[in-house]
Amino acid sequence: MPDYDHLILPYSSGDANKDEGLLVEDIIARSQQPIPDPDEWLLGVDHGGVVLTTFDAVLGWARKRSLWPMMFGLACCAFEMMAAAGNRWDISRFGMEIFRPSPRQADMMIIAGTLTWKMAPAVRRLYDQMAEPKWVLAMGACACSGGTFSESYSVVPGINRILPVDVYVPGCPPRPEGLYHGLMELHEKIQKQGYLKDNVHLPRLD
């Protein structure tokens, strides 16, 4: 075994114990009074403060952050809409994580894909069953203007022929980022609307 007795350590265990004892004594001396709890500042808040806003602003903020979309995938754009609802893009940050299966529970309709004349009466009927206020987003070139099928006898050349459209999202198909941009534009439109939305009176389908 090698002999280490001839080595002189610059810092002995006794010095370490002494320094630790001084540190403990110092913190004891400085810790005789309790530190105030961080939430004690609440006791001194003046609750007489006033927040000025308008009812329209509060209602618009609440509406745009609680949209309940009705999933209405008609063609290939529906794949991008479903991707936008996945965890990668996290549509729940807009308060819309659940796509409603019933028009009675929805206040926004996303038309994603090609709309045919045969399907048009069903789309209008579902729109009529939605409660006011309600909004429509046209997703994709086919929903906006018929797309490459606009000259076809069986395709509606734009859903604005049967429904009032609030936001158009062009593309073939638009990426989820495009749909999100359209949703943010819809949020701005909802925020600027008054308390009573101007109703668009459409003849009901019997």
Side-chain angles (χ1 to χ4, degrees):
M1 295 290 293
D3 184 11
Y4 295 105
D5 294 338
H6 66 284
L7 298 177
I8 300 176
L9 298 177
Y11 193 75
S12 65
S13 59
D15 293 334
N17 292 335
K18 181 180 179 180
D19 291 343
E20 184 179 3
L22 293 175
L23 180 63
V24 171
E25 291 178 1
D26 178 67
I27 195 170
I28 290 175
R30 291 187 289 107
S31 304
Q32 296 303 310
Q33 298 297 327
I35 298 175
D37 293 335
D39 56 353
E40 283 192 357
W41 63 273
L42 291 172
L43 301 177
V45 173
D46 182 11
H47 295 284
V50 177
V51 177
L52 297 178
T53 185
T54 62
F55 184 76
D56 285 345
V58 174
L59 186 62
W61 174 83
R63 281 178 173 172
K64 76 177 185 179
R65 287 297 176 180
S66 60
L67 288 175
W68 289 5
M70 183 174 65
M71 184 168 57
F72 210 93
L74 295 172
C76 44
C77 285
F79 289 105
E80 298 298 324
M81 179 180 63
M82 288 183 283
N87 56 359
R88 180 176 182 181
W89 282 275
D90 189 20
I91 202 172
S92 61
R93 56 187 155 152
F94 298 109
M96 338 171 26
E97 60 259 56
I98 301 178
F99 280 78
R100 305 294 165 171
S102 169
R104 304 295 188 186
Q105 302 172 352
D107 53 10
M108 183 183 68
M109 180 183 287
I110 302 177
I111 304 293
T114 310
L115 177 64
T116 61
W117 286 112
K118 187 175 182 179
M119 191 66 180
V123 174
R124 264 294 302 277
R125 188 171 295 109
L126 289 173
Y127 176 82
D128 291 337
Q129 292 174 354
M130 295 169 62
E132 293 285 350
K134 53 190 173 183
W135 299 274
V136 176
L137 186 146
M139 180 180 180
C142 292
C144 294
S145 62
T148 57
F149 310 105
S150 58
E151 300 297 328
S152 173
Y153 72 96
S154 61
V155 174
V156 179
I159 65 170
N160 57 354
R161 303 297 180 96
I162 62 170
L163 298 178
V165 179
D166 294 282
V167 175
Y168 295 88
V169 180
C172 188
R175 289 179 53 83
E177 294 91 334
L179 177 59
Y180 278 12
H181 179 72
L183 292 176
M184 288 186 287
E185 292 294 323
L186 182 59
H187 287 176
E188 292 297 324
K189 185 173 184 178
I190 294 173
Q191 184 68 57
K192 294 177 181 178
Q193 285 180 344
Y195 172 57
L196 294 177
K197 182 177 180 287
D198 294 333
N199 294 326
V200 179
H201 299 286
L202 298 175
R204 298 184 61 87
L205 293 179
D206 296 330

